[in-house]
Each structure stands twice: as C-alpha cells, then as structure tokens.
Amino acid sequence: MPSSNSNAESLTADILAGSPDVGVHYSRFRLPADLDDRIDAKVLGDAPSLLSDAELDAIAFHGTSGSWTGLEGDRALADSLTEATGAPATTASLALVAALEALDAGRVAVVFPGPASIMALIEREYSARGLEVARSSVPATSMSNPEISRMSGAEIGALMKPAFGSDVDAVVCIGTNLRSAYLAAGFESEFGVPVVDSATATLWHLLRLAGTARPIPGWGMLLATA
C-alpha cells in the first residue's frame, strides 16, 4: 500500500473484527509525485517480495491509479505480484470493476477526492470498460493523500451526497485513503443505492481470491452479500 495511506489498515481491521481466521499483512511503498505516473513492479520495489515470506493466499496493490492510467496496466501489475508471491492478485481498481460486475451495476456515479482533470480520465477508462458514469463529485480544491485521510465525516458526506440518485446502479468511491466506507451503510439505507468503496472492494476481492469469502454485515451491500 502507499506509504501515505492511513485508512486501509485500520478500516480492514474494523471490518474483519469478527473474522479471527483471516490474517492481513501489509508492506508499503512510496507513491510517485505525479498522479499520471503508472504504478509498476519497479515502483513497488521490495514490497511484494517481503510479503511473499508470509506465504499469502491472495495479494492486492492497494491503490486506485489504474482507474485513470488504465486497467490493462493494473492487470500487468497483478500478474507481476503473482509472479513475485505465487498468490492470486488484484488491485483496488480491478476490485472495483469486479464488484460492479457482481452487483450488475453498469450505470454509476463516481466520487473522487482528486482533481476534475483526473476524473475525466476515470470517466474515459470506465466508458472503455462498458461502464457509464452518469455523474461525478470531486472536491473544489486539490488535496494531498494525507489531507484526504483527514477529511471529517461531514466533509466526506458532503462530497458523496451529490452522487446519489435513483438513476444509477451504484455509487463508486475511488481512493483507498478516503474514509467513505464508514458512511456507506447509512447512505445505502437513505437512498437504496449500493456504495462501492475502494478499500472495501479490495478486501471483498481478496477474500474471494483467497477462497474465504463470507458475508460481513454492517459495511454495505457488497460485503453483506459476499
């Protein structure tokens, strides 16, 4: 996971609090300075091989850059993770798409805590994958990864709420440092629309790849129906 991420580990521990049979292990790498840079095995450095020593059942790159730099690059990255560890692999971006397929969600709204210019690339990439982005919600000003992690619940809710409506099959929250998972169940109850959070989707996909999928209530429709 990116060295600047402070959400994923604590969130995953919260979600798996009732699953003592599942162990989750982490290794960190430093993100490139430019959001446009593609993440590959060279960027990850020794992180995958260090995790390989734990004899994993599944592994994920816990980042969403493939949502705008291209999912084909993420598939190549997943292949490199499997080569390094011997475990089936995914990425947060691939997990999001897999979750949308599982939910039969083809028309979505996207919440992204980054610049509108990157959001336009996400829309293009999703369109190429047969996913229609009906609308999107981005912040008024650009934020760093640590700044995203420090957003309050009220700020995150204000970013998410414009995405909801009866005309979409799901709301996708792109960014594993955005603490949207904690608000997912509440918004789903209010609007009746699934929320697919990046960090939640990554865990959902990892559990499936590891052959230990199970319903986990309290965190939204995706995990509840696993």
Side-chain angles (χ1 to χ4, degrees):
M1 73 167 52
S3 57
S4 56
N5 191 305
S6 62
N7 173 52
E9 289 166 314
S10 55
L11 170 66
T12 303
D14 286 345
I15 294 173
L16 293 176
S19 300
D21 60 312
V22 179
V24 187
H25 312 280
Y26 302 90
S27 192
R28 290 176 176 256
F29 70 96
R30 189 158 277 116
L31 282 171
D34 194 331
L35 284 173
D36 291 328
D37 287 347
R38 189 183 298 276
I39 307 294
D40 57 18
K42 183 177 179 181
V43 174
L44 298 186
D46 291 335
S49 62
L50 291 171
L51 281 172
S52 178
D53 295 344
E55 298 184 352
L56 309 169
D57 294 308
I59 185 170
F61 161 62
H62 215 295
T64 55
S65 58
S67 297
W68 59 89
T69 62
L71 292 176
E72 287 307 317
D74 264 30
R75 290 191 178 92
L77 179 59
D79 288 343
S80 73
L81 289 174
T82 296
E83 183 177 354
T85 66
T90 188
T91 74
S93 295
L94 294 176
L96 283 170
V97 171
L100 292 173
E101 290 175 354
L103 293 169
D104 196 24
R107 181 176 167 86
V108 302
V110 174
V111 178
F112 178 60
S117 58
I118 297 295
M119 184 63 241
L121 298 178
I122 293 171
E123 291 183 14
R124 185 176 69 183
E125 181 64 22
Y126 270 33
S127 177
R129 307 298 160 186
L131 294 168
E132 180 186 356
V133 178
R135 59 182 162 275
S136 60
S137 180
V138 299
T141 58
S142 230
M143 291 182 287
S144 67
N145 211 24
E147 286 172 332
I148 291 169
S149 75
R150 291 194 292 269
M151 291 176 70
S152 68
E155 290 170 329
I156 297 169
L159 182 63
M160 292 174 66
K161 194 161 188 175
F164 287 88
S166 59
D167 60 332
V168 296
D169 303 319
V171 170
V172 184
C173 298
I174 297 180
T176 61
N177 218 17
L178 179 69
R179 301 180 191 275
S180 47
Y182 294 98
L183 305 181
F187 272 120
E188 288 182 349
S189 178
E190 181 178 354
F191 292 101
V193 175
V195 175
V196 185
D197 165 80
S198 298
T200 303
T202 303
L203 174 59
W204 170 84
H205 207 199
L206 278 171
L207 291 171
R208 291 166 75 93
L209 290 176
T212 186
R214 78 281 305 275
I216 303 176
W219 294 94
M221 298 180 192
L222 179 66
L223 283 177
T225 57

